[in-house]
Amino acid sequence: MAARDQQRAPTIHDVAARCGVAASTVSRAFSRPERVNAATRQRILDTAEQMGYQPNPIARALPSGRTRTLGLLVPDITNPFFLDLIRGAERAAATAGYTLVLADTEESSDTETTVVDRLAGAVDGFVLASSRLSDSRLRAAYARKPLVVVNRRVPPVPGVLIDSAQGTRQAVEHLASLGHRRIAYLAGPRASWSDARRWRALQTVARRRGLHAVRIGPLAPTVDAGVAGADAVLLEDVTAVVTFNDLLAIGVLRRLRARGIDVPHQISVVGCDDIFGADFCHPPLTTLTAPIEAAGRTAVDQLLGLLDNSAAPRRDIVLPTRLTIRDSTSEAPTRLRQEVTG
Amino acid sequence: MAARDQQRAPTIHDVAARCGVAASTVSRAFSRPERVNAATRQRILDTAEQMGYQPNPIARALPSGRTRTLGLLVPDITNPFFLDLIRGAERAAATAGYTLVLADTEESSDTETTVVDRLAGAVDGFVLASSRLSDSRLRAAYARKPLVVVNRRVPPVPGVLIDSAQGTRQAVEHLASLGHRRIAYLAGPRASWSDARRWRALQTVARRRGLHAVRIGPLAPTVDAGVAGADAVLLEDVTAVVTFNDLLAIGVLRRLRARGIDVPHQISVVGCDDIFGADFCHPPLTTLTAPIEAAGRTAVDQLLGLLDNSAAPRRDIVLPTRLTIRDSTSEAPTRLRQEVTG
DNA sequence: GCAACTATGGCAACCGGTTGCCAAACCTTG
DNA sequence: CAAGGTTTGGCAACCGGTTGCCATAGTTGC
């Protein structure tokens, strides 16, 4: 079976020859029906069908400069958070007849730059999720190509933001009403916009409710980091932990369990995102449910809007989170010291 | 900020003009360094660098017919199994300097055909994971384009197979040694190659060990189907369930828990794949660990091998699974009837 | 019956690279 | 110094479509 003999795909010229017309007529039969006689057109369409003609997207893209392809860059495919994001983006792209190119930037700003440069000529625009690029580099990229960022705020680059501030408020009030007085926040990556937002929201509500809040981190947004973070939490005199994301929370649950600490009765844990698994880990995780798939979808829709620049001057789109209460939170233990510090 | 003014990217001609050479010389400066004077070449490279020239991948692909892009089609992005597969494929593609196009075929053979047709001109080859295409359609596609299938055996199309037969044998022997005599198999989709393999392996070992095995299904490979399947399991007089995949197993765990049935002491559960979450569900799942990411990587490597048809006539690559014992299996309950039937 | 208009299809340039072929310039060598 | 060989760079065709412009034929109106 040596060399595979790819039979060359029929081109517009093959169809034209078979029909006895010019290639341009065949082209128009597809793209400008009104410019060609109905009978001729039908004949061309029939022959094309019969020959199995498929327009070559590459050749089509060259003159027009439009590939009907979108690039989605994520810092780490490994993270299930991005699974939902990819899913939403893929759905939206497919619906619009666009193709999605997926790339992992490996949490590296340099890799991200390289990939953007390499792909720039091959896609009509980018969705950069949790970009590690600096603001200025993002703006520079935006000047070259249509671009939407997810979970970054870099005007004038349009962004889709999952805002956990509101959800965080709910989470802290939930904890407060359960009698918790001292809580820890397990922070995410230093550069994360979401992390900053969440910590600020948490602090604000904690102050208003008279709770004491300590920040631990920054940490990588992974299960392993959560395992390590749990030990740090135990050094603090707290009865509840709020984590940057569910991966961290799951790591915390695992470690606390290994150390024989009962969740939620000794320590309550609140995650963020409600990723796959948050509902069946042990105990099922109280978490901030984030519309991740919607974010992916929205980002692509925004990008498509940018592409036909018909669209009005756009602003960031903020999607809210909400608290989902499961079994990893309960009343604060009474046996621990709980003097209110302020 | 009305219409975005995309500054046109510099082309080979712009660089050529700036250097006072012909475009072809610039092209050769990149692709055939030995065909151009070292000094000239350096001058060109410098100007290109300074002008921010990036070769246009589309234009490059047109004459060569090679896009350095691979298409990965999965039946359902929602399934975390494919997350690992995507990850492996993306890594392998990136390593080889290839770009990955991702598409969801929505479990539909027609969608899959459409997507393959649409993408055929834009990619150098396909990886079809758990394809829903018929054998003949797969062979037809293979005649048109380099192609690798995952978890399908359709000679002469090269395949990467995660073979759970060996692992299934281990799983059944594990259950047998724990005293289980009657086990149920929760089957996956009807068209699944893996499902057929597993059921056959399970039956064979069961017979040899004098166990009774019943098959329940076919079922969709989802958590919800597992929830429903659990009830069917309870109608059978069994002490253990082996499921087609972890999603089903997680559904079973959830349902049994809801019905107050203790896993593993009343019923043992064995999953398959060891997806994200299998280690932290409750109880942590005994499962067949499948090298999913390796499968994605291998499939892409196979495909790349096909592309420089240097490669020798290739055969299917079979990757083994192995049993990972966690806490969802234990000794068979003694209070249940256990007469050996057979 | 002729001018003016419309419908239809072909020609050729173009998108941005790649590459076969040729020619000029330079280098060897006897 | 001439003959032959080697370097080096330019020209032009090509990949497979799209599209502006023109020509022809057919239609309409007066």
Side-chain angles (χ1 to χ4, degrees):
Chain A
M1 81 179 33
R4 301 165 32 77
D5 45 345
Q6 318 282 31
Q7 61 249 54
R8 201 177 57 88
T11 74
I12 212 170
H13 294 95
D14 302 327
V15 177
R18 197 80 112 74
C19 279
V21 298
S24 49
T25 306
V26 177
S27 173
R28 278 191 280 256
F30 287 99
S31 47
R32 251 182 207 55
E34 76 286 359
R35 273 303 319 272
V36 46
N37 181 287
T40 316
R41 171 156 192 265
Q42 196 52 55
R43 193 155 46 90
I44 292 174
L45 261 37
D46 289 347
T47 340
E49 167 80 37
Q50 171 202 337
M51 297 177 73
Y53 167 74
Q54 289 277 139
N56 180 328
I58 302 289
R60 202 199 282 254
L62 191 48
S64 69
R66 308 203 54 191
T67 59
R68 297 190 71 81
T69 297
L70 269 23
L72 172 61
L73 274 57
V74 299
D76 177 19
I77 309 196
T78 292
N79 186 334
F81 175 87
F82 294 111
L83 173 63
D84 290 324
L85 196 87
I86 293 170
R87 183 189 307 169
E90 206 279 335
R91 294 265 165 89
T95 302
Y98 274 70
T99 298
L100 198 70
V101 160
L102 178 68
D104 187 335
T105 62
E106 298 165 349
E107 303 269 6
S108 147
S109 150
D110 286 344
T111 308
E112 195 169 341
T113 304
T114 309
V115 174
V116 167
D117 283 348
R118 189 164 58 84
L119 254 37
V123 303
D124 292 345
F126 290 101
V127 171
L128 303 186
S130 305
S131 174
R132 299 321 194 215
L133 257 33
S134 67
D135 285 13
S136 58
R137 272 172 137 178
L138 276 175
R139 292 203 178 91
Y142 183 60
R144 278 215 304 157
K145 271 279 171 188
L147 187 71
V148 172
V149 288
V150 176
N151 278 349
R152 281 289 292 269
R153 196 194 282 277
V154 194
V157 187
V160 174
L161 305 163
I162 297 179
D163 188 8
S164 41
Q166 170 62 15
T168 300
R169 195 161 71 81
Q170 275 185 54
V172 175
E173 288 174 346
H174 166 65
L175 292 173
S177 92
L178 288 171
H180 295 272
R181 287 290 162 265
R182 304 178 60 88
I183 63 184
Y185 175 68
L186 271 196
R190 191 184 310 275
S192 163
W193 174 85
S194 323
D195 184 70
R197 287 281 295 180
R198 300 201 60 207
W199 170 235
R200 218 175 43 200
L202 188 143
Q203 270 183 303
T204 306
V205 190
R207 196 166 314 124
R208 188 179 330 141
R209 298 289 172 184
L211 313 193
H212 181 75
V214 313
R215 184 170 194 267
I216 299 171
L219 263 34
T222 63
V223 172
D224 286 346
V227 168
D231 282 353
V233 169
L234 291 178
L235 287 179
E236 303 288 338
D237 178 27
V238 299
T239 59
V241 199
V242 176
T243 64
F244 167 69
N245 74 359
D246 286 346
L247 253 19
L248 282 170
I250 287 167
V252 168
L253 291 183
R254 174 178 300 180
R255 180 61 178 164
L256 293 182
R257 191 173 167 75
R259 290 190 57 172
I261 292 163
D262 182 42
V263 174
H265 300 109
Q266 287 178 268
I267 293 192
S268 287
V269 178
V270 179
C272 184
D273 293 342
D274 202 5
I275 59 171
F276 173 82
D279 59 337
F280 62 72
C281 57
H282 189 65
L285 197 59
T286 293
T287 190
L288 263 44
T289 301
I292 313 176
E293 187 172 340
R297 206 169 47 232
T298 307
V300 165
D301 287 344
Q302 283 284 90
L303 183 53
L304 292 174
L306 267 185
L307 290 184
D308 32 301
N309 19 342
S310 65
R314 49 198 63 260
R315 329 185 43 183
D316 289 344
I317 292 185
V318 179
L319 303 174
T321 58
R322 52 164 234 281
L323 183 66
T324 297
I325 297 176
R326 299 207 182 90
D327 306 340
S328 66
T329 48
S330 71
E331 296 200 340
T334 46
R335 55 177 183 71
L336 291 182
R337 301 172 265 147
Q338 286 190 46
E339 65 275 37
V340 178
T341 20
Chain B
M1 83 179 31
R4 299 164 36 75
D5 46 344
Q6 316 284 28
Q7 62 249 52
R8 200 177 59 89
T11 76
I12 212 170
H13 295 96
D14 301 327
V15 178
R18 203 65 119 81
C19 280
V21 298
S24 49
T25 306
V26 177
S27 172
R28 279 192 280 257
F30 287 99
S31 47
R32 252 182 209 56
E34 76 286 0
R35 274 301 321 272
V36 45
N37 183 285
T40 316
R41 172 157 191 264
Q42 197 51 56
R43 193 156 45 90
I44 292 175
L45 261 35
D46 289 348
T47 337
E49 166 80 37
Q50 170 202 336
M51 296 178 74
Y53 166 74
Q54 288 277 140
N56 180 329
I58 302 288
R60 202 199 283 254
L62 190 49
S64 70
R66 308 203 56 190
T67 58
R68 297 191 72 80
T69 297
L70 268 23
L72 171 62
L73 274 57
V74 299
D76 176 19
I77 310 197
T78 290
N79 187 333
F81 176 88
F82 294 111
L83 174 62
D84 290 323
L85 196 86
I86 293 169
R87 181 190 310 170
E90 206 280 335
R91 293 265 165 90
T95 303
Y98 273 70
T99 298
L100 199 69
V101 160
L102 178 69
D104 186 335
T105 63
E106 297 165 351
E107 304 269 7
S108 148
S109 150
D110 287 343
T111 308
E112 195 169 341
T113 305
T114 309
V115 175
V116 167
D117 283 349
R118 190 165 57 84
L119 253 38
V123 303
D124 292 345
F126 290 101
V127 171
L128 302 187
S130 306
S131 174
R132 299 320 194 214
L133 257 34
S134 67
D135 286 13
S136 59
R137 271 172 138 177
L138 277 175
R139 292 203 178 90
Y142 182 59
R144 278 215 305 156
K145 270 283 173 185
L147 187 71
V148 173
V149 289
V150 176
N151 278 349
R152 280 290 292 269
R153 197 195 282 279
V154 195
V157 186
V160 173
L161 305 163
I162 297 179
D163 188 7
S164 42
Q166 171 62 17
T168 300
R169 196 162 70 82
Q170 276 185 52
V172 175
E173 287 174 347
H174 167 64
L175 292 173
S177 91
L178 289 171
H180 294 272
R181 288 289 162 266
R182 302 178 61 89
I183 63 183
Y185 175 66
L186 270 197
R190 192 185 309 277
S192 164
W193 174 86
S194 322
D195 184 70
R197 288 281 296 180
R198 301 200 60 208
W199 170 235
R200 219 176 42 200
L202 188 143
Q203 269 183 304
T204 306
V205 191
R207 196 167 312 126
R208 188 180 328 140
R209 299 288 173 186
L211 312 194
H212 181 75
V214 313
R215 182 169 194 268
I216 298 173
L219 262 35
T222 63
V223 172
D224 286 345
V227 168
D231 281 354
V233 168
L234 291 179
L235 287 179
E236 305 288 337
D237 178 26
V238 298
T239 59
V241 199
V242 176
T243 64
F244 167 69
N245 74 359
D246 285 346
L247 253 18
L248 282 170
I250 287 168
V252 168
L253 291 183
R254 173 179 301 180
R255 180 62 178 162
L256 293 182
R257 192 173 167 75
R259 290 191 57 174
I261 292 164
D262 181 42
V263 175
H265 300 109
Q266 288 177 268
I267 293 192
S268 288
V269 177
V270 179
C272 184
D273 294 341
D274 201 5
I275 60 171
F276 174 82
D279 58 336
F280 62 72
C281 57
H282 188 65
L285 197 60
T286 294
T287 190
L288 263 44
T289 301
I292 314 177
E293 187 171 340
R297 203 169 48 230
T298 307
V300 165
D301 288 343
Q302 282 286 90
L303 184 53
L304 292 174
L306 267 184
L307 291 183
D308 32 299
N309 22 342
S310 66
R314 51 198 62 257
R315 330 185 43 183
D316 290 344
I317 291 184
V318 179
L319 304 173
T321 58
R322 53 164 233 283
L323 183 65
T324 297
I325 298 177
R326 299 206 182 91
D327 305 339
S328 66
T329 49
S330 71
E331 297 200 341
T334 47
R335 55 177 182 72
L336 290 183
R337 299 170 268 148
Q338 287 190 47
E339 65 275 35
V340 178
T341 20

